[in-house]
Amino acid sequence: MATLMALVDAQIKNTATDQNRIYENIVGKAIDENQTPDEIAAAYQKYHQQINHFDVNAFHKTLSVMQHDVKQNDPERYATFVANFKSIPDYITERNNFNDKRKELLNGNGSNSDKQAIFDALDRRRTRAHNGVIGLFNQMNELAKEHNLPEPYPNDGEPYNKNDPKDREKVAGILEKHEPLLDTVNNFVLSARISAGFADPTDNLKKMNLIELYHYAKNYAEKHKTKDRNAQPAPKAQIKPTVKNDSQDFEL
Amino acid sequence: MQASLLEKAVTQDTNGTLHQVVSAAYDLKAKSSVELTKIAIDTNKALGFDLFDDLYYPRLVLDFSRVARAVAINALHSN
């Protein structure tokens, strides 16, 4: 029986083979044909669209950094990463059967206001899980930037904005396309955390009373405000070429 | 929402099937998630395929605005 690590490696290898082929066909071809820097940048943009904003090679490198550097040097941050990976199966659970639940509720008994309340609750749960995934993707990108690696979830150098419907859609699309890999990685990092004996950071939160939670939240906000002030600003994307879509009229 | 299904729905709709969707998109009063879901399900049934494949409210809002934009673009091109 394959170990989780072997399964992750195999899935990454399969995805990397496809990605490298796309890179050769688009960016490699542009470089070989001695195109202008703007055309090469446009080809790179097209490559990112073709790989649906998920760079599996960068993801592999970032995951290695997380599993080695972060785990050794900052166990609390590592445990937080692992806890955030849990948002992947949570989102998958909320998303699957969502449409069937909706139809069932719509056809069921109850007033419109009752149905609306249940719809809102379903939407809130899914939104919370979706926000968790967006947060995880941004954290992975941040970790990659700190170690001078390419971003695993490139978004023109900007973090994904949970208030932007198009960014939310991009994140949902990435997760849908790479669900098996990301779900396996979640199981892998969870088992690695348990083997290393690190506690789930949310376990302590569940035991705290209101005042302790308030002080924890205050200290957490202060710690991250200081960290942000000390952080180097991310380099802005220099070139933003436009890429003409084939079906521009009905582009999504 | 798939781009091919959107194109099919917009270019082949001659019965005003998308009228409810366009009205909802341009309505100044935001429709509730129950109302939008009902319109999406009814539209899918009338079209014969799942144009709206995700009934999550924020996604429906985005997809309804896409349909309205596509209908407007199609109307311009067909004149």
Side-chain angles (χ1 to χ4, degrees):
Chain A
M1 192 168 113
T3 60
L4 277 170
M5 191 162 169
L7 199 53
V8 168
D9 280 343
Q11 286 176 332
I12 284 179
K13 196 176 165 189
N14 281 343
T15 314
T17 307
D18 279 342
Q19 183 174 307
N20 292 340
R21 183 179 43 80
I22 293 169
Y23 184 87
E24 283 306 317
N25 288 346
I26 298 174
V27 182
K29 192 177 165 199
I31 295 170
D32 287 343
E33 287 170 2
N34 287 323
Q35 292 183 6
T36 63
D38 279 350
E39 282 167 335
I40 292 174
Y44 205 72
Q45 191 93 342
K46 190 178 174 188
Y47 159 70
H48 274 165
Q49 285 176 352
Q50 288 281 312
I51 62 171
N52 289 312
H53 301 274
F54 177 63
D55 184 341
V56 73
N57 293 322
F59 176 77
H60 194 192
K61 287 175 189 165
T62 311
L63 190 64
S64 301
V65 162
M66 194 185 110
Q67 284 300 108
H68 298 112
D69 291 7
V70 179
K71 192 171 165 186
Q72 198 173 348
N73 302 329
D74 196 348
E76 195 186 321
R77 190 181 182 191
Y78 177 76
T80 308
F81 261 114
V82 174
N84 290 339
F85 258 100
K86 201 182 161 295
S87 60
I88 289 174
D90 287 348
Y91 176 75
I92 292 169
T93 306
E94 292 301 331
R95 186 202 59 202
N96 291 351
N97 303 322
F98 187 87
N99 287 357
D100 290 337
K101 269 187 222 165
R102 277 284 223 242
K103 287 175 188 169
E104 205 180 296
L105 283 163
L106 208 58
N107 295 331
N109 298 325
S111 65
N112 265 349
S113 55
D114 289 340
K115 288 180 188 176
Q116 186 61 55
I118 301 173
F119 270 39
D120 287 345
L122 281 175
D123 279 339
R124 263 196 307 273
R125 275 168 35 186
R126 184 166 164 174
T127 300
R128 196 167 31 233
H130 199 167
N131 288 348
V133 179
I134 292 170
L136 171 67
F137 283 14
N138 285 336
Q139 282 170 356
M140 294 285 285
N141 282 348
E142 200 182 303
L143 180 64
K145 271 193 233 180
E146 284 168 14
H147 289 82
N148 295 319
L149 296 169
E151 291 176 338
Y153 307 102
N155 190 35
D156 293 335
E158 301 291 329
Y160 287 99
N161 182 358
K162 64 181 183 191
N163 296 321
D164 182 348
K166 291 203 172 173
D167 275 2
R168 294 184 78 87
E169 196 185 17
K170 258 188 228 172
V171 167
I174 294 168
L175 184 46
E176 194 172 359
K177 188 149 195 251
H178 300 282
E179 191 177 306
L181 168 63
L182 293 172
D183 203 19
T184 309
V185 168
N186 166 56
N187 290 331
F188 167 66
V189 298
L190 181 61
S191 81
R193 176 184 71 76
I194 292 169
S195 313
F198 295 147
D200 184 346
T202 56
D203 278 350
N204 281 340
L205 292 177
K206 287 171 194 164
K207 294 172 194 161
M208 288 181 189
N209 63 34
L210 210 53
I211 294 170
E212 285 166 341
L213 273 172
Y214 166 72
H215 286 296
Y216 178 87
K218 203 172 155 190
N219 290 337
Y220 186 89
E222 272 303 317
K223 188 173 159 190
H224 282 261
K225 225 193 289 185
T226 315
K227 197 175 153 196
D228 285 341
R229 273 202 294 267
N230 293 338
Q232 296 279 342
K236 286 193 182 141
Q238 294 297 320
I239 298 164
K240 281 196 180 214
T242 51
V243 176
K244 190 177 186 303
N245 280 333
D246 286 334
S247 54
Q248 203 164 5
D249 288 346
F250 296 97
E251 77 174 57
L252 292 181
Chain B
M1 172 181 281
Q2 294 178 43
S4 56
L5 290 181
L6 174 60
E7 193 171 340
K8 184 179 171 184
V10 166
T11 53
Q12 294 177 9
D13 172 35
T14 52
N15 299 326
T17 311
L18 298 176
H19 172 71
Q20 261 194 310
V21 174
V22 175
S23 296
Y26 286 125
D27 202 343
L28 288 174
K29 214 166 141 195
K31 292 228 183 287
S32 67
S33 56
V34 172
E35 287 167 315
L36 277 196
T37 305
K38 198 164 180 318
I39 293 171
I41 291 172
D42 289 346
T43 306
N44 283 349
K45 219 182 275 185
L47 288 171
F49 54 85
D50 279 350
L51 175 63
F52 300 103
D53 50 11
D54 191 345
L55 301 178
Y56 177 42
Y57 181 62
R59 179 64 70 87
L60 281 179
V61 168
L62 194 61
D63 286 348
F64 271 45
S65 72
R66 282 185 179 135
V67 168
R69 199 162 57 241
V71 164
I73 291 169
N74 185 57
L76 281 170
H77 283 185
S78 56
N79 281 343

